Amino acid sequence: MVYLKNEQALTDSLTVAEMFEKQHKHVLEKIEKILNDSAENSAQCFHKTRYKDASGKWNTKYLMNRDGFTFLVMGFTGKKANEWKWKYIDAFNQMEKILTEKQTAVWLETRQQGKLIRKGETDVLQKLVEYAREQGSGHADMLYMTYTKLANKMAGITTRDS
């Protein structure tokens, strides 16, 4: 529902339409009305972009931050709408917690240590690839990816930042 893009927690109009069971064109209309009625305040909350649908056609969608989302869905009513509002609020809170955590000294130090460890692993794997090539391996270039995936899996790493 909410994802990180350029270190900002965002959602988009397609996801909002799907979760709130609304037609995307109606969500777009509401966003465009918000932008027309209060452009100065809302311009930093919504970013117009495009996506390619299943038929290959390019369509408009909006990315939005927490403020844009909140302003947009204030008018959505009903029990189901309220449930989704709370789910989105929780998701934005989790993403913002991750962003805040990334600024702590502990996280930055751990990240730096991880980079040094990965550099050491990369150097060793490069030597292994060179050795495999010298021995006539036709798939030596696959060793780096294979061993990296294996090491990450064994360590429980699912993303670079974990």
Side-chain angles (χ1 to χ4, degrees):
M1 293 189 310
V2 177
Y3 49 91
L4 289 176
K5 184 172 183 177
N6 299 328
E7 297 296 312
Q8 188 176 20
L10 301 173
T11 191
D12 61 67
S13 56
L14 279 171
T15 305
V16 170
E18 181 183 341
M19 296 298 139
F20 284 87
E21 297 179 356
K22 298 197 176 291
Q23 289 185 23
H24 188 236
K25 69 179 183 177
H26 293 143
V27 173
L28 292 177
E29 289 168 0
K30 287 185 181 294
I31 292 170
E32 287 164 3
K33 181 165 179 20
I34 291 168
L35 289 168
N36 287 334
D37 292 349
S38 57
E40 187 176 317
N41 294 326
S42 58
Q44 72 276 6
C45 299
F46 297 97
H47 174 72
K48 190 174 187 175
T49 186
R50 299 180 334 149
Y51 73 97
K52 193 183 278 191
D53 66 18
S55 70
K57 180 182 170 199
W58 286 98
N59 298 295
T60 297
K61 76 174 181 178
Y62 282 91
L63 302 178
M64 65 193 86
N65 62 15
R66 175 199 290 261
D67 294 343
F69 167 80
T70 302
F71 201 86
L72 172 65
V73 302
M74 273 186 202
F76 296 178
T77 59
K79 184 177 180 177
K80 187 166 185 114
N82 287 340
E83 289 173 14
W84 279 110
K85 287 178 195 179
W86 286 116
K87 287 179 184 180
Y88 268 95
I89 289 168
D90 289 342
F92 271 109
N93 286 337
Q94 289 173 5
M95 287 297 173
E96 287 176 355
K97 181 180 175 187
I98 290 169
L99 289 172
T100 301
E101 183 179 285
K102 284 177 138 183
Q103 305 307 314
T104 65
V106 171
W107 189 91
L108 293 171
E109 183 180 324
T110 303
R111 176 86 168 128
Q112 186 60 34
Q113 287 174 351
K115 287 180 180 180
L116 292 173
I117 291 168
R118 283 193 304 278
K119 170 112 175 68
E121 291 172 350
T122 300
D123 292 346
V124 169
L125 287 173
Q126 184 60 39
K127 289 178 184 176
L128 177 62
V129 169
E130 290 169 9
Y131 174 77
R133 239 187 237 120
E134 290 170 3
Q135 298 301 311
S137 172
H139 301 289
D141 293 334
M142 299 297 288
L143 286 171
Y144 178 80
M145 179 185 64
T146 303
Y147 280 105
T148 301
K149 283 183 177 181
L150 177 62
N152 287 344
K153 184 175 182 179
M154 296 304 292
I157 297 172
T158 56
T159 65
R160 275 185 70 152
D161 292 336
S162 357

